[in-house]
Amino acid sequence: MRNDTDNLIVRLTFELALDVVSFSERIRVGNRFEMASQIFRSGTSIGANIREAQNAESKRDFIHKFKIAAKEADELEYWLKLCKASEHYPNPDEKLLSDLKSVILIISKIISSSKKV
């Protein structure tokens, strides 16, 4: 059995997904199901794609899965910024936004360094 507890990006994206689940539930309480679903899907997909990349069939496949995770992270950032700018949605916690930025930077670095090798 694989142990991902030592893998920083796997752990960070799992923790981010847990925070995203909590935030999307806060939105659902206000009967804003569409936005909650968008945030839930993009926010949990980041870690799912990173996790899937751990079993990539090739370096190209690994990079591709990380690029998908990067796109999902950008989408999540968009939805969170939209919530922050709108008076109709709760503001995301600064920790959530900060953690997302960290994940985006790490994913970008992994993609760029994987292309070099």
Side-chain angles (χ1 to χ4, degrees):
M1 182 173 191
R2 190 176 72 218
N3 181 2
D4 289 323
T5 56
D6 295 339
N7 187 322
L8 176 66
I9 193 63
V10 170
R11 183 172 41 82
L12 290 177
T13 55
F14 186 81
E15 291 168 3
L16 178 68
L18 290 173
D19 291 341
V20 164
V21 168
S22 294
F23 183 66
S24 65
E25 287 304 315
R26 281 180 46 206
I27 295 172
R28 279 188 205 286
V29 169
N31 294 322
R32 308 280 189 202
F33 301 110
E34 294 85 2
M35 180 67 82
S37 293
Q38 292 289 349
I39 290 169
F40 183 90
R41 279 196 295 271
S42 60
T44 56
S45 179
I46 301 164
N49 281 289
I50 297 294
R51 181 74 186 238
E52 192 176 336
Q54 304 311 299
N55 292 309
E57 296 175 9
S58 64
K59 183 180 3 177
R60 190 171 168 210
D61 185 37
F62 178 85
I63 292 169
H64 177 70
K65 288 178 181 11
F66 264 83
K67 284 184 175 182
I68 293 170
K71 289 179 182 183
E72 295 293 341
D74 286 343
E75 182 179 337
L76 175 60
E77 185 177 41
Y78 172 79
W79 296 124
L80 294 178
K81 284 182 176 181
L82 195 59
C83 285
K84 191 170 184 171
S86 174
E87 63 188 51
H88 303 288
Y89 294 97
N91 279 333
D93 301 335
E94 285 304 315
K95 181 186 178 309
L96 179 58
L97 295 169
S98 174
D99 289 351
L100 176 58
K101 287 205 179 290
S102 296
V103 164
I104 289 171
L105 290 172
I106 294 168
I107 289 172
S108 296
K109 184 65 177 172
I110 290 171
I111 292 169
S112 66
S113 63
S114 295
K115 287 180 177 180
K116 291 178 186 175
V117 178

